[in-house]
Amino acid sequence: MSRIKTVLGFAVNPAVIIALGFALGAIMLLGNAAQAQSNYPNRPIRVIVPYPAGGIVDIVARAVTEQVGRDWKQTVVIEARPGGNSNIGTASVARSEPDGYTWLVTGPAALVNPTLYKDAGWDALKDLKCVGLAVWNQSVALVHPTMPASTIKEFVEIARKKPGELNFGNPGTGSSIDLSAQKLFQAAGIKLTNVGYKGQPQALIDLMTNLMHFEIVSLELALPHIKAGSVKPLAVMTDKRVADLPDVPTIAEAGFPEAAYLPWYGIYVQAGTPDNIVAKINDGINKALQNPGVQRQLAVANIPGKPMPLADLAALMKADHEKLTKVIATAGMALQ
């Protein structure tokens, strides 16, 4: 028979006391969690960049997230975690605590690597939530000055007559540059020999020495060499002409609108992060992107930023995931 305890003159079953204790504990935990969310952020924010320090993603991360930290009067720590074609750093954020204190800044790899690799370590649409659009990456299609082509259409005609004989300098399978090139190759119906590089600089050097025949290069990296005459631009891979190259057509103007693809770098958190924290981060990023100092930093690197609401970011993420997954499948791209 159960023992009955007397509390303040009332007979109480011990099981009831235990249940009440658990309930009070749960209420306290919920209260603490709610308070932690309302006080967000009350400790330093860690920003993971899954690429080496000093690159374009690192520039984006520092320009935007450090401004958010200044606006919030909170410390922001940028941590470069390169490796595995960005898989290592990205997976660490996908598996992080969903508390808003670990951010990821990256490009299309977040969307395509789970398709490229058998086990990238995350599912783009299930494990990550895009909380801010940092920048759109602008790039330009280049050939060596001796190439007898002044337009993309002329280059395509040459490539069609020499399937597999022309070399494409690829700075990384699944990178924004690679995806842009694959869209063009598929739209034009041409085949080039893929030559892999660890980044754009070495690939560009080999194009300038005529070892490579075709490359797509970030605008900021390519501009000095275009102006020096070391490489020849055929088209900009953007939705409108760029001020530094007013006479160079967009890829759509050049006759291949299907190849138009403007890669973007987003800021992500773990998908389970509470909605109120996600909303605050999105607001902070959008405010930072409108800061004149941030706009100047991004303009110097030819990577314009654009504030976007969460609903638009989710739609963009989903649309690009579907579009790029199809590009990868058609190209037969895969990594172990």
Side-chain angles (χ1 to χ4, degrees):
M1 187 173 181
S2 302
R3 284 184 161 186
I4 303 296
K5 290 188 176 181
T6 301
V7 179
L8 297 178
F10 294 93
V12 181
N13 190 315
V16 174
I17 295 176
I18 293 171
L20 286 171
F22 278 122
L24 287 171
I27 291 170
M28 290 177 67
L29 285 173
L30 288 171
N32 290 339
Q35 184 177 15
Q37 290 182 30
S38 64
N39 291 338
Y40 176 87
N42 55 25
R43 56 187 170 89
I45 294 166
R46 190 167 57 123
V47 178
I48 304 298
V49 176
Y51 297 98
I56 194 87
V57 183
D58 188 55
I59 293 172
V60 170
R62 293 182 187 281
V64 180
T65 65
E66 288 181 351
Q67 182 59 47
V68 175
R70 287 190 289 271
D71 291 340
W72 286 354
K73 296 180 173 55
Q74 186 56 260
T75 302
V76 170
V77 179
I78 311 292
E79 181 182 333
R81 295 195 65 182
N85 196 16
S86 82
N87 285 344
I88 293 175
T90 303
S92 72
V93 177
R95 298 167 183 166
S96 68
E97 287 296 318
D99 54 13
Y101 288 96
T102 305
W103 299 5
L104 170 73
V105 183
T106 190
L111 305 179
V112 303
N113 277 14
T115 302
L116 282 172
Y117 292 83
K118 287 185 178 179
D119 184 17
W122 76 92
D123 181 301
L125 300 183
K126 292 181 180 178
D127 299 327
L128 296 171
K129 181 176 290 186
C130 190
V131 291
L133 177 65
V135 298
W136 302 95
N137 183 26
Q138 301 188 106
S139 57
V140 55
L142 303 173
V143 294
H144 189 268
T146 59
M147 175 68 67
S150 298
T151 67
I152 282 286
K153 283 188 174 180
E154 290 175 355
F155 175 78
V156 165
E157 288 305 312
I158 294 171
R160 283 175 178 164
K161 294 174 183 176
K162 300 179 178 181
E165 294 183 32
L166 301 182
N167 296 329
F168 160 57
N170 185 352
T173 300
S175 65
S176 61
I177 296 297
D178 184 26
L179 293 167
S180 294
Q182 296 302 331
K183 281 185 68 66
L184 173 61
F185 300 162
Q186 290 173 19
I190 58 175
K191 181 179 180 180
L192 276 67
T193 295
N194 182 88
V195 180
Y197 289 86
K198 292 183 178 180
Q200 295 184 60
Q202 185 58 52
L204 182 56
I205 289 172
D206 282 357
L207 178 67
M208 290 189 289
T209 55
N210 210 16
L211 291 175
M212 293 296 107
H213 300 109
F214 177 85
E215 289 179 12
I216 294 176
V217 178
S218 294
L219 192 61
E220 178 63 14
L221 181 60
L223 276 175
H225 305 289
I226 293 172
K227 292 176 179 177
S230 305
V231 291
K232 181 165 53 176
L234 300 183
V236 288
M237 311 298 286
T238 56
D239 55 354
K240 59 183 178 181
R241 296 197 184 198
V242 299
D244 288 306
L245 299 171
D247 297 327
V248 179
T250 66
I251 191 65
E253 290 174 334
F256 296 97
E258 321 95 294
Y261 167 56
L262 198 57
W264 51 278
Y265 298 116
I267 299 176
Y268 299 81
V269 295
Q270 211 279 339
T273 304
D275 290 344
N276 61 323
I277 291 179
V278 167
K280 184 166 186 177
I281 297 172
N282 176 247
D283 182 69
I285 292 168
N286 287 342
K287 182 181 177 182
L289 285 168
Q290 297 173 70
N291 180 280
V294 172
Q295 290 179 344
R296 281 193 296 271
Q297 291 181 68
L298 298 178
V300 167
N302 282 292
I303 42 176
K306 179 183 178 183
M308 289 183 71
L310 289 166
D312 290 355
L313 289 168
L316 177 64
M317 186 178 174
K318 183 175 184 294
D320 261 27
H321 179 267
E322 293 175 356
K323 181 194 310 177
L324 298 178
T325 299
K326 184 177 180 181
V327 170
I328 290 169
T330 303
M333 298 158 61
L335 294 169
Q336 299 304 317

